[in-house]
């Protein structure tokens, strides 16, 4: 919803201005405002601006929270996505690997956020043409999904669909079709057939 993003951007900009006027540009709330502004830039397909603002958010988060704080992991994942959109694959990989490392340190081993991180890395490697690395990340994500009984989680459908695309690019059409069918069934189960 375009109106929602406009409201978020207006509120984050207003909060940012207030914090700047108060000299509070090195705090968690300021970094969170930058995070929201970067998301709005991304929504408007301004990935260079999103990357610039997200880098500033990471610097501030690193000053005010521990290195393994979830906010740092989330922002690094966002930054990786913004770099990937600009085809800065090496930068994206660096940020996504750091994000996954933080998530592995700070969350239980079968947490959905780790699955999300692995899916993001798999998607990066697919776009980059590194299909073996993509398959490895996505296989690990699917293993977590199955072992943690996350089979009915929305992340499962996304990972299965992406893995199906990876298999298709590798010429594994039977495996691809199987995973695409599973992803479609799960999506219909979760959201209905008119989603």
């Amino acid at each position: 919803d375009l109106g929602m993003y406009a409201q978020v951007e207006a509120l984050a900009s207003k909060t940012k201005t207030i914090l700047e006027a108060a000299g509070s540009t090195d705090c968690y709330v300021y970094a969170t405002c930058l995070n929201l502004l970067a998301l709005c830039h991304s929504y408007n397909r301004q990935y260079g601006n999103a990357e610039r603002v997200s880098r500033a958010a990471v610097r501030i988060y690193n000053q005010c929270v521990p290195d393994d704080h979830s906010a740092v992991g989330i922002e690094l994942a966002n930054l990786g996505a913004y770099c990937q959109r600009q085809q800065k694959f090496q930068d994206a990989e660096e940020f996504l690997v750091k994000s996954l490392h933080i998530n592995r340190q700070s969350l239980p081993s079968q947490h959905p956020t780790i699955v999300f991180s692995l899916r993001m890395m798999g998607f990066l490697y697919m776009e980059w043409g590194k299909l073996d690395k993509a398959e490895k990340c996505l296989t690990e994500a699917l293993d977590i999904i199955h072992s943690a009984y996350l089979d009915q989680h929305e992340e499962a459908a996304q990972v299965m669909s992406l893995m199906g695309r990876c298999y298709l690019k590798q010429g594994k059409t039977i495996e691809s079709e199987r995973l695409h069918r599973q992803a479609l069934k799960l999506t219909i189960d979760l959201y209905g057939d008119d989603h």
Side-chain angles (χ1 to χ4, degrees), residues 128-147:
W128 200 356
K130 297 185 174 193
L131 299 179
D132 290 342
K133 284 188 169 190
E135 183 178 358
K136 182 179 177 188
C137 290
L138 297 170
T139 299
E140 184 179 351
L142 285 174
D143 289 346
I144 293 170
I145 286 168
H146 296 309
S147 66

Side-chain angles (χ1 to χ4, degrees), residues 83-97:
C83 289
Q84 181 177 344
R85 290 290 195 168
Q86 300 172 83
Q87 297 187 338
K88 296 179 179 180
F89 296 131
Q90 287 181 325
D91 288 345
E93 180 183 38
E94 175 189 344
F95 298 128
L96 292 175
V97 166

Side-chain angles (χ1 to χ4, degrees), residues 111-155:
H111 195 278
T113 301
I114 293 174
V115 174
F116 173 77
S117 293
L118 289 165
R119 178 173 61 84
M120 287 186 67
M121 290 183 65
F123 182 56
L124 166 69
Y125 289 133
M126 273 185 47
E127 280 199 340
W128 200 356
K130 297 185 174 193
L131 299 179
D132 290 342
K133 284 188 169 190
E135 183 178 358
K136 182 179 177 188
C137 290
L138 297 170
T139 299
E140 184 179 351
L142 285 174
D143 289 346
I144 293 170
I145 286 168
H146 296 309
S147 66
Y149 306 103
L150 296 172
D151 293 335
Q152 295 302 308
H153 193 281
E154 65 181 312
E155 192 66 36

Side-chain angles (χ1 to χ4, degrees), residues 50-117:
E51 177 189 354
R52 180 182 50 77
V53 173
S54 182
R55 284 179 184 271
V58 168
R59 279 193 300 276
I60 294 167
Y61 280 133
N62 282 329
Q63 293 171 5
C64 60
V65 297
D67 291 343
D68 64 348
H69 192 280
S70 62
V72 177
I74 291 167
E75 195 59 39
L76 285 169
N78 290 341
L79 183 51
Y82 306 146
C83 289
Q84 181 177 344
R85 290 290 195 168
Q86 300 172 83
Q87 297 187 338
K88 296 179 179 180
F89 296 131
Q90 287 181 325
D91 288 345
E93 180 183 38
E94 175 189 344
F95 298 128
L96 292 175
V97 166
K98 286 180 183 177
S99 175
L100 178 61
H101 178 73
I102 290 169
N103 290 334
R104 287 189 196 272
Q105 284 184 316
S106 61
L107 298 170
S109 62
Q110 297 180 332
H111 195 278
T113 301
I114 293 174
V115 174
F116 173 77
S117 293

